[in-house]
Amino acid sequence: MTQHVKLTINGQPIEADIEPRLLLVHFIREVANLTGTHIGCDTTSCGACTVQINGVPAKSCTLFAVQMDGADIRTVEGLEQNGKLHPIQEGFFQEHGLQCGYCTPGMMMTAEAFLRENPNPTDDEIRHAISGNLCRCTGYVNIVKAIQHAAKAQREPQAAPTEAVEVTQ
Amino acid sequence: MPAVLRLGTRSQFLSSRVPVCSYMILVTASSHNLPIHLISCSRHDARGAYQRRSAVIPDNFAYFAPTTFSETWDLLQKHAGDAKLLAGGQSLIPLMKFRLATPAYLIDLRNVPGLDALEERDSSLVLGAMVTESTLEKSPLIKRRYAGIYDASAVVADPLVRNFATVGGNLAHADPANDHPAMMIALRAWVVAQSPRGQRELSVDDFLVDTLETALEPDEILTEIHVPQPTQHSGSAYVKFERKVGDYAIAAVGAQLTLDGGVCSQAGIGLTNVGPKALRATQAEAFMVGKQPTEDVLREAARLAANAAEPVADLRGPEEYKRAMVRTLTVRALRAAAQRAQAGA
């Protein structure tokens, strides 16, 4: 019993015949082969699976791929543009906002969407925004700093505090 | 209990090959505390055999995304008893992943127009069933005039879940741990249900029947929630106590007060997750009427509200603890509602 679904991921169109019960996170990881989106729990708690759907961040483990017919999905792989790190990625790098890195893609997808809505947040507002993303390593302190770093860089693009890092394949 | 929500008996779980854990054994048709967020699954089944860890995925189903009410009703009538409507899915899909819900047909409402109203119309606030919690949380109208709804929306799960979770789904799913039912009870809201036979309205009290059970007929769609507009000296508040962000409530209380010359002329008090469904604290409400909302009065109302609770001991605490929390939270909710009422609309 399969259904045809057509969507875009990071700007690339993708279509497939899938079972309706295929979770979006499994579609992303196993059909689209984008394994940056992680599965960290079975209970809709951890947010490691966070992606953006038409720009809105959501937990992809608690949505079906068939619900996404016609949608525009953005995953962590879509942050980098033309080999250049997104300011969010730059922030996590500069502020040591990760240790094991498992929660990081989810954190970044949530943060990127949040900063579009609130480009000049307080630390408390950041903490509230990432409250659906759990981290077992960092204690969240450097994550908040990383997001503040990105916020500042996005507000003042001319005054880039550090050299941009080129990503080479 | 609708057939599609098969809360298995202990023997069913023990005989199945689903990894069994101590919490799942407690899930019976009368249980009202499905600890979805903290089901910890042992890799050994009830007979001690080691189970290979498999992905937590739902059973098979057929999926439809109709674009009209008419199409939706046709599907509901055709598959009555074996179909579930899908709103945001943030309560239903987690249940389906654990196979505690196994609808053979899932009917997605995302393409059906006319379910996203958020406006004051004819002396009520009209909320479309598909309005998301995020939308409610960010609405200036809701925060200013229906602060209790804002409070409740802001504590549903977490910001990511709130981007898809809907207020209609929160009510229609009728998990006693869902937050809106108690707040809507306190606000004396009513719901609109539409079927091919027409439209009917029922109070939230009549709408909520039992754990995960509402008064909706198999072919009825909950389309709107209506909340009476507040008078100038009305206030509402929702106070939730949770172990950590995103959790279900240990207990939560929604309160609404209308003041007339500083004296309470109407009170609404709803209790979350301390019974098989959201409860109305009727005696506490009656006690408030005719009195000024002083601390002594609030404390007595809170004592009565705690008496009205029917908590069950579980991983969120023993019975007496939950009852005591209802008492504390009722004071806080009433106090906040009173302060907002005194401040004026």
Side-chain angles (χ1 to χ4, degrees):
Chain A
M1 192 193 342
T2 63
Q3 227 162 327
H4 194 76
V5 74
K6 228 165 123 169
L7 47 142
T8 60
I9 301 183
N10 302 325
Q12 299 296 315
I14 179 168
E15 52 186 297
D17 291 307
I18 58 172
E19 283 188 336
R21 64 174 169 166
L22 184 71
L23 299 171
L24 178 60
V25 68
H26 288 134
F27 181 92
I28 289 168
R29 290 176 56 82
E30 296 170 24
V31 176
N33 291 314
L34 295 167
T35 54
T37 303
H38 299 155
I39 298 172
C41 68
D42 288 319
T43 52
T44 314
S45 308
C46 78
C49 65
T50 306
V51 299
Q52 292 172 6
I53 296 153
N54 301 327
V56 174
K59 293 177 172 177
S60 63
C61 72
T62 307
L63 292 165
F64 297 118
V66 288
Q67 290 173 271
M68 300 298 130
D69 193 50
D72 183 29
I73 311 286
R74 193 175 185 197
T75 69
V76 66
E77 290 89 347
L79 285 178
E80 164 207 325
Q81 297 292 325
N82 300 318
K84 191 158 175 282
L85 286 182
H86 189 283
I88 290 277
Q89 292 171 306
E90 184 67 36
F92 273 78
F93 168 52
Q94 292 295 337
E95 297 294 339
H96 192 38
L98 66 152
Q99 292 179 25
C100 80
Y102 203 76
C103 75
T104 311
M107 284 288 180
M108 293 198 292
M109 299 319 291
T110 296
E112 194 278 334
F114 167 67
L115 289 180
R116 270 187 276 117
E117 259 190 26
N118 188 346
N120 195 356
T122 62
D123 281 3
D124 270 352
E125 285 167 341
I126 292 176
R127 287 177 182 279
H128 180 84
I130 62 172
S131 57
N133 296 88
L134 304 181
C135 174
R136 299 293 279 131
C137 294
T138 65
Y140 303 97
V141 176
N142 284 355
I143 292 176
V144 173
K145 285 188 189 170
I147 297 171
Q148 285 291 17
H149 184 108
K152 185 157 193 263
Q154 287 184 309
R155 287 194 308 271
E156 309 158 10
Q158 277 74 38
T162 55
E163 229 172 87
V165 175
E166 293 266 326
V167 176
T168 52
Q169 292 297 337
Chain B
M1 183 70 59
V4 296
L5 285 175
R6 253 168 274 136
L7 300 181
T9 61
R10 181 197 168 100
S11 59
Q12 278 178 316
F13 276 119
L14 290 177
S15 61
S16 77
R17 288 174 59 221
V18 172
V20 165
C21 63
S22 56
Y23 304 129
M24 285 176 86
I25 286 176
L26 294 173
V27 174
T28 67
S30 62
S31 164
H32 58 84
N33 269 297
L34 304 172
I36 298 297
H37 279 199
L38 281 166
I39 288 180
S40 63
C41 287
S42 159
R43 294 186 187 206
H44 293 86
D45 72 10
R47 293 158 306 194
Y50 187 85
Q51 293 296 310
R52 193 170 65 85
R53 180 84 134 193
S54 56
V56 174
I57 57 172
D59 207 342
N60 266 312
F61 57 87
Y63 169 88
F64 305 95
T67 56
T68 63
F69 275 118
S70 177
E71 236 185 295
T72 310
W73 286 323
D74 282 344
L75 288 163
L76 283 170
Q77 284 180 321
K78 201 164 144 191
H79 304 299
D82 239 342
K84 282 290 277 179
L85 288 168
L86 179 66
Q90 302 300 289
S91 285
L92 182 60
I93 297 177
L95 276 190
M96 290 176 69
K97 285 165 73 175
F98 282 107
R99 306 204 179 191
L100 294 172
T102 51
Y105 305 93
L106 208 58
I107 303 163
D108 195 343
L109 288 171
R110 66 187 175 98
N111 292 330
V112 177
L115 294 172
D116 56 358
L118 203 182
E119 57 180 354
E120 286 179 312
R121 194 207 302 163
D122 303 330
S123 80
S124 20
L125 168 72
V126 175
L127 295 178
M130 292 294 279
V131 171
T132 65
E133 304 291 355
S134 271
T135 302
L136 288 175
E137 195 185 352
K138 292 170 189 171
S139 158
L141 169 65
I142 299 293
K143 190 162 187 191
R144 188 169 43 91
R145 285 170 62 70
Y146 303 90
I149 296 179
Y150 165 80
D151 290 342
S153 294
V155 294
V156 169
D158 59 64
L160 298 171
V161 169
R162 294 199 282 276
N163 282 336
F164 270 76
T166 65
V167 59
N170 197 273
L171 283 169
H173 187 74
D175 188 322
N178 283 146
D179 294 293
H180 281 291
M183 192 62 240
M184 292 299 177
I185 283 174
L187 289 169
R188 301 213 146 128
W190 63 98
V191 304
V192 176
Q194 290 194 359
S195 73
R197 296 175 298 290
Q199 176 175 298
R200 64 177 178 131
E201 297 183 355
L202 40 167
S203 67
V204 169
D205 305 62
D206 290 338
F207 176 72
L208 301 166
V209 169
D210 203 343
T211 305
L212 300 168
E213 201 180 320
T214 68
L216 286 176
E217 298 290 333
D219 63 350
E220 270 183 321
I221 305 167
L222 165 63
T223 54
E224 286 179 347
I225 301 117
H226 291 211
V227 179
Q229 278 196 35
T231 64
Q232 210 211 346
H233 292 287
S234 287
S236 61
Y238 186 76
V239 182
K240 175 176 180 177
F241 186 30
E242 52 190 5
R243 292 172 303 169
K244 63 169 193 66
V245 117
D247 198 7
Y248 286 119
I250 297 168
V253 175
Q256 186 279 335
L257 288 179
T258 303
L259 299 179
D260 200 350
V263 168
C264 176
S265 59
Q266 178 181 278
I269 303 172
L271 311 179
T272 296
N273 217 13
V274 286
K277 54 176 183 166
L279 299 174
R280 180 183 291 282
T282 317
Q283 279 197 310
E285 292 176 339
F287 174 79
M288 289 300 302
V289 173
K291 300 193 177 63
Q292 291 189 328
T294 63
E295 281 295 305
D296 283 345
V297 166
L298 300 192
R299 278 199 207 104
E300 177 58 17
R303 189 188 67 80
L304 292 167
N307 282 350
E310 302 167 20
V312 162
D314 67 4
L315 49 112
R316 286 185 184 78
E319 206 185 300
E320 320 82 71
Y321 172 68
K322 291 187 181 187
R323 209 178 282 282
M325 293 305 100
V326 168
R327 196 163 169 169
T328 301
L329 296 172
T330 302
V331 172
R332 295 184 188 181
L334 284 172
R335 193 188 288 137
Q339 282 167 356
R340 288 169 177 168
Q342 281 151 0

